[in-house]
Amino acid sequence: MDEKDDRRTRKRLATRQSISDTATRLFLERGFDSVTIDEIAAAADVGRMTVFNHFPRKEDMFFDREEEIQALAFDAIRKRGPGVSPIEATRKLAHDLVTQDHEFVMLSGDTSWFIKTAMASEALKARAREMRDDFTRALAIVLADTSNQPTGDPNAHLAAGLIVSTWNVAFSEAQKLFDRTRDAGEAKRCFLAVIDRGTAGAAAALAKTAYA
Amino acid sequence: MDEKDDRRTRKRLATRQSISDTATRLFLERGFDSVTIDEIAAAADVGRMTVFNHFPRKEDMFFDREEEIQALAFDAIRKRGPGVSPIEATRKLAHDLVTQDHEFVMLSGDTSWFIKTAMASEALKARAREMRDDFTRALAIVLADTSNQPTGDPNAHLAAGLIVSTWNVAFSEAQKLFDRTRDAGEAKRCFLAVIDRGTAGAAAALAKTAYA
DNA sequence: ATCCCAATATATACTGAGTATATTTAAGGG
DNA sequence: CCCTTAAATATACTCAGTATATATTGGGAT
């Protein structure tokens, strides 16, 4: 009863999409902080409350694909091959994403406007940190779950923390390098180098546990 | 000319302390989010703008010792013994803080109200995440600096990320355990166990670099 | 003392995100 | 064609934070 294909649902999604598109355009034109909700509502030709109806927080209009990213990681862990540790599965995921030039890696001129716009706003950086925390918590649960360990196992939280920290550093260092050199190949090598180092560290930390 | 001991400075600091004390009391009584700046100003018998004069953000009235904590860590790294790696120095710091029951470790009933109040507020959690990020960035600089590596060395950022992540998990897991068992000794052992594991991982990740 | 300067405190008015609530509009289902 | 309900909207509010102008008060000089 949730994903019905009736006109009501179509209209709701159309309205949502229209707001999202309008907001994204304005954010890129003038920066996140200097666009107000009222402007977005006016530009999308909807009432102010309709905006909050679809996006409880202003930041939700910018980060609209959190769940997809989480699902990508959790799938990689859940569907890993036999004999592959969860930590190794995250390393493999990083390499796969880079070799198939996945859009989420965003090491190209096409997508770095997204990073730049996000990094220019304290509010968006705060939301990104919150998402990172939520992801870390959820990752710990998935790790424990797929390794037959009790929920809340401290080692699962340590593993999740080290992995997320590694990915975070890998992303930001690769992005910095790309900004400096405009060389996507070099940036990708940097990304994977950090991933490999960090993952090796996580594996060492979790040696003799179910996670490595 | 900054830390003059004249009456003007004494009055300014007294006003600041009065606001801080009043705010802390109200936060603990009724929770951070349900205390307004106006109430704090009224209770401290100062004008509203005076509050913002001393504390640009509401959260600054709660977290008032960020610099002390950072200095503690940076001193431990800067003043480490010869032949001690920076990563090992952070491990040693953790053990020292626990054995001398330092107030910042806060694994006792006296201080956990602080954690509880902070964790009950999204705004305070967001500020804590921001402080964590700032600290990680500063730590990377100190690590590179005291290891004669170039500023911005990716390995320094990886080391900083892994260390901070480890401490973060150690704190929260120990806190959770203390809440469950009310056994400070057990909580401390958990704290140090996570620290040792995570630090070993960081050292492994940074093997053959200047940081381990 | 008294005059001047600068730091601090304060008053007033504003912006903008987010909430609460009531009302209207329009789609689906009998 | 009604009836129910989801979605959109209008209005009014709270509160943090900013801008700016003014008042107060301590320190330093003559």
Side-chain angles (χ1 to χ4, degrees):
Chain A
M1 91 196 2
D2 197 35
E3 283 301 305
K4 279 201 301 188
D5 197 22
D6 53 8
R7 186 181 338 212
R8 189 178 276 175
T9 303
R10 282 198 309 275
K11 286 212 168 186
R12 193 189 63 230
L13 293 179
T15 303
R16 190 196 147 91
Q17 195 60 44
S18 160
I19 294 170
S20 176
D21 291 347
T22 307
T24 302
R25 181 173 54 76
L26 292 176
F27 292 156
L28 296 182
E29 280 173 11
R30 301 173 13 219
F32 182 80
D33 297 316
S34 47
V35 177
T36 67
I37 304 267
D38 287 301
E39 285 175 315
I40 295 167
D45 198 35
V46 295
R48 192 180 116 86
M49 287 312 298
T50 305
V51 176
F52 282 112
N53 228 3
H54 291 275
F55 304 93
R57 308 262 99 115
K58 190 184 172 190
E59 292 80 26
D60 298 337
M61 289 184 254
F62 192 85
F63 296 117
D64 206 13
R65 307 184 67 180
E66 192 184 358
E67 287 172 23
E68 284 178 74
I69 297 177
Q70 295 204 8
L72 203 67
F74 297 161
D75 276 9
I77 292 169
R78 285 224 154 85
K79 296 172 182 163
R80 68 185 190 272
V84 176
S85 77
I87 289 177
E88 173 61 18
T90 65
R91 198 186 72 88
K92 188 169 178 312
L93 171 63
H95 283 262
D96 288 349
L97 290 180
V98 166
T99 52
Q100 71 198 41
D101 251 319
H102 194 285
E103 58 173 330
F104 287 160
V105 175
M106 295 197 293
L107 285 170
S108 75
D110 307 337
T111 42
S112 63
W113 53 261
F114 185 83
I115 310 272
K116 285 192 200 317
T117 305
M119 286 316 181
S121 158
E122 281 306 317
L124 286 179
K125 282 195 285 184
R127 179 72 182 111
R129 282 190 288 263
E130 189 187 357
M131 292 185 333
R132 186 187 150 177
D133 246 36
D134 291 344
F135 176 67
T136 305
R137 223 182 327 278
L139 179 58
I141 293 171
V142 171
L143 285 174
D145 186 40
T146 66
S147 306
N148 298 311
Q149 298 301 117
T151 308
D153 176 18
N155 283 331
H157 285 275
L158 180 59
L162 296 177
I163 291 169
V164 172
S165 193
T166 296
W167 280 68
N168 188 50
V169 174
F171 271 120
S172 63
E173 292 302 310
Q175 188 66 41
K176 273 197 287 185
L177 190 60
F178 178 74
D179 283 349
R180 215 174 333 115
T181 65
R182 309 302 296 175
D183 181 339
E186 198 176 341
K188 285 178 192 175
R189 279 188 296 277
C190 168
F191 178 79
L192 292 180
V194 175
I195 289 285
D196 286 348
R197 265 189 192 285
T199 308
L206 280 303
K208 302 183 184 171
T209 73
Y211 308 106
Chain B
M1 87 188 17
D2 197 34
E3 284 300 307
K4 279 200 299 188
D5 196 22
D6 52 8
R7 185 179 342 215
R8 189 178 276 172
T9 303
R10 284 198 307 276
K11 285 212 168 186
R12 192 190 63 231
L13 293 179
T15 304
R16 190 196 147 92
Q17 195 60 44
S18 159
I19 295 169
S20 176
D21 291 347
T22 306
T24 302
R25 180 173 54 77
L26 292 176
F27 291 157
L28 295 183
E29 281 173 13
R30 306 184 355 231
F32 182 81
D33 297 317
S34 47
V35 177
T36 68
I37 304 268
D38 287 306
E39 286 174 313
I40 295 167
D45 197 33
V46 294
R48 193 181 118 85
M49 288 310 299
T50 304
V51 176
F52 282 113
N53 227 3
H54 291 275
F55 303 94
R57 309 256 93 109
K58 190 184 173 191
E59 292 80 26
D60 298 336
M61 289 184 253
F62 192 85
F63 295 117
D64 206 13
R65 308 184 65 178
E66 192 183 358
E67 288 171 21
E68 284 177 74
I69 297 177
Q70 295 204 7
L72 202 69
F74 297 161
D75 276 9
I77 293 170
R78 286 224 153 87
K79 297 171 182 164
R80 69 186 188 269
V84 177
S85 76
I87 290 177
E88 174 60 17
T90 64
R91 197 186 71 89
K92 189 170 177 312
L93 172 63
H95 283 262
D96 288 349
L97 290 180
V98 166
T99 51
Q100 71 199 42
D101 251 319
H102 193 286
E103 57 173 331
F104 286 160
V105 174
M106 296 198 291
L107 284 172
S108 74
D110 307 337
T111 43
S112 63
W113 55 260
F114 184 83
I115 310 272
K116 285 194 200 316
T117 307
M119 287 315 182
S121 158
E122 280 306 314
L124 287 179
K125 283 195 285 184
R127 179 73 182 112
R129 283 190 289 262
E130 190 187 357
M131 293 186 333
R132 185 187 151 176
D133 246 35
D134 291 344
F135 176 67
T136 306
R137 224 182 326 278
L139 178 59
I141 294 172
V142 171
L143 286 173
D145 187 38
T146 66
S147 307
N148 299 309
Q149 297 303 116
T151 309
D153 176 19
N155 282 332
H157 285 275
L158 180 59
L162 296 178
I163 292 169
V164 173
S165 192
T166 296
W167 280 67
N168 188 49
V169 174
F171 272 119
S172 62
E173 292 302 311
Q175 188 67 42
K176 270 196 288 184
L177 190 59
F178 178 74
D179 282 349
R180 214 173 335 115
T181 64
R182 309 301 296 175
D183 180 339
E186 198 176 342
K188 285 177 189 174
R189 279 189 295 278
C190 167
F191 179 78
L192 292 179
V194 176
I195 289 285
D196 286 348
R197 265 191 192 282
T199 307
L206 278 303
K208 301 182 184 174
T209 73
Y211 308 106

